[in-house]
Amino acid sequence: MIPFVDLRAAHAEVADEILQGFDRVLRDTAFVQGPDVAAFEEEFAQFSGVPHCVGVGNGTDAIELALRAAGVPAGSEVVLPANTFVATAEAVVRAGLRPVLADCDDHLLLDPAAAAAAVGPDTSAVIPVHLYGQQAAMGALYELAERRGLVVMEDAAQSQGSAQEGRPPVGLASTSFYPGKNIGAYGEAGAVLTGSAELARAVRLLSSHGSEVKYRHETLGFNSRLDTLQAVVLRAKLKRLADWNEARRAAADRYGKLLSGIAGVRLPATAPGNLHVWHLYVIRVPERDKVLAGLQEAGVQAQIHYPVPVHLQPAFRDLGHGPGDFPVAEAAAGEILSLPMHPHLTAGQQEQVAETLDEVLRRL
Ligand SMILES: *Cc1c(COP(=O)(O)O)cnc(C)c1O
């Protein structure tokens, strides 16, 4: 059996440090807003090269709170890619805004030209999603945002530690520490990153009942804070994140070599200038559902991210879209296949994945 992720192997590396940290929190009963939260926020901001980090309850809340903090007008439109995890669109609606979907480019990232075409007089923001671990074309998207006066809110849930040459500095970004992400908590957690002290303060206010001073509530807020025990986990894992991302890159290189000779397999590519962190290794194959079933039968835990684009989800039928509206995203949804990818994947396991895939494709 080759698992899709291996959270046990990751835990083994950090277990001692985490148990010591938990013990400290339990002894101090610092469950909410304990000192580990502020320490992690500072350390993650530094790791990300962004001045401010505010820990929140999860990555979906991070998107909603970031949009609210940015003060985009209620009811205005937000452009985002059709192929993303549903949370991106969900958070937009929850923030009282209207999602407007746009198609993706060859890397399955928001296509700047499609995004430009989706911008109208009521558009207030754009959400590039750094899907699979590499950044969307941020130069072009910032240029569009500047031209049309839009807020840029990056959904960086899958891209902790990624980079892009020559891109403008992060103004506002959300991330998720869902357990399976490149840096995962042991429960729910997320964060907002921003270059603006004012936005950071606004997110913090919203995340904690609209209050900075106990029992004084400046604004209607939420209860969405980073849990102290999760901060302990994240501090321990952050120390390994650069190495773990490097191990993912090495695994991606190995897959590239192992799979390049297999007929029918289209390999994922890194866009020029991107430092990829390979949250997911997504190939494209013909008759994907059969291939997936064949792999699973042989014990290779492949998955699909994501089988149904946002515009074809029942929850978003009100947007009025149908098949054919976003052809690049739809074609991808029928062919994409995420192979096992995590920092502890061995060369032997990857050889087995490649052999099994080759066999399954020959049998089609
Ligand atoms: C995981 C994820 C989210 C949501 O994060 P949660 O912490 O699960 O709420 C949002 N967007 C993308 C692209 C994600 O992968």
Side-chain angles (χ1 to χ4, degrees):
M1 168 83 96
I2 299 179
F4 187 71
V5 295
D6 191 347
L7 299 183
R8 266 198 210 99
H11 177 63
E13 281 193 47
V14 287
D16 289 347
E17 196 172 336
I18 287 176
L19 290 175
Q20 279 168 27
F22 280 4
D23 193 48
R24 189 174 65 235
V25 174
L26 301 190
R27 270 190 283 113
D28 297 344
T29 67
F31 305 123
V32 174
Q33 298 290 283
D36 283 287
V37 174
F40 173 70
E41 288 174 339
E42 205 177 305
E43 289 156 7
F44 190 66
Q46 188 160 15
F47 174 87
S48 308
V50 181
H52 306 279
C53 169
V54 182
V56 299
N58 57 68
T60 310
D61 283 3
I63 300 169
E64 177 178 0
L65 296 180
L67 291 169
R68 287 183 181 274
V72 293
S76 64
E77 294 176 356
V78 179
V79 173
L80 62 120
N83 66 319
T84 178
F85 180 55
V86 74
T88 318
E90 191 180 55
V92 166
V93 176
R94 276 183 24 189
L97 304 165
R98 290 177 7 233
V100 173
L101 302 172
D103 215 341
C104 50
D105 59 21
D106 272 355
H107 301 282
L108 306 185
L109 300 163
L110 180 61
D111 178 355
V119 172
D122 294 333
T123 308
S124 59
V126 58
I127 306 185
V129 180
H130 303 328
L131 205 67
Y132 307 152
Q134 70 173 328
Q135 300 190 9
M138 295 309 294
L141 289 165
Y142 263 103
E143 200 263 318
L144 166 68
E146 188 126 323
R147 200 155 26 87
R148 305 298 301 263
L150 311 176
V151 168
V152 178
M153 206 310 290
E154 303 174 42
D155 182 344
Q158 302 190 359
S159 60
Q160 299 97 353
S162 69
Q164 186 171 87
E165 264 168 39
R167 57 150 296 161
V170 169
L172 186 59
S174 62
T175 196
S176 163
F177 306 117
Y178 183 79
K181 299 283 156 78
N182 284 31
I183 169 171
Y186 291 172
E188 306 283 352
V192 175
L193 290 158
T194 176
S196 152
E198 201 181 320
L199 279 178
R201 180 176 171 254
V203 171
R204 203 175 286 289
L205 203 64
L206 286 170
S207 73
S208 193
H209 303 293
S211 170
E212 251 173 357
V213 177
K214 203 165 190 183
Y215 302 131
R216 182 182 157 81
H217 303 275
E218 304 286 343
T219 179
L220 196 64
F222 298 78
N223 179 357
S224 184
R225 296 171 293 218
L226 175 62
D227 184 271
T228 309
L229 291 170
Q230 304 306 338
V232 166
V233 173
L234 294 169
R235 289 188 77 190
K237 287 191 165 184
L238 185 58
K239 293 181 191 157
R240 274 89 177 166
L241 184 54
D243 287 346
W244 285 348
N245 282 343
E246 199 55 54
R248 286 173 183 271
R249 276 191 287 274
D253 280 350
R254 278 201 301 267
Y255 267 143
K257 292 187 185 103
L258 288 165
L259 304 176
S260 60
I262 302 180
V265 174
R266 193 163 142 201
L267 298 178
T270 302
N274 265 352
L275 180 69
H276 206 312
V277 294
W278 297 103
H279 174 57
L280 296 168
Y281 190 87
V282 180
I283 60 170
R284 295 173 71 155
V285 290
E287 299 196 63
R288 190 269 324 278
D289 291 343
K290 275 192 199 160
V291 175
L292 176 62
L295 289 176
Q296 282 173 343
E297 230 166 80
V300 174
Q301 288 189 340
Q303 297 187 11
I304 306 171
H305 300 89
Y306 295 92
V308 181
V310 173
H311 68 288
L312 302 178
Q313 294 285 355
F316 289 93
R317 72 169 76 78
D318 286 0
L319 297 181
H321 289 297
D325 284 2
F326 301 104
V328 182
E330 286 168 41
E335 296 172 5
I336 49 178
L337 184 65
S338 310
L339 297 180
M341 169 52 84
H342 56 83
H344 301 89
L345 193 63
T346 65
Q349 287 176 314
Q350 292 189 272
E351 280 161 25
Q352 220 177 308
V353 171
E355 271 167 35
T356 311
L357 182 64
D358 191 26
E359 261 171 48
V360 170
L361 281 163
R362 280 173 201 278
R363 258 194 279 128
L364 283 183

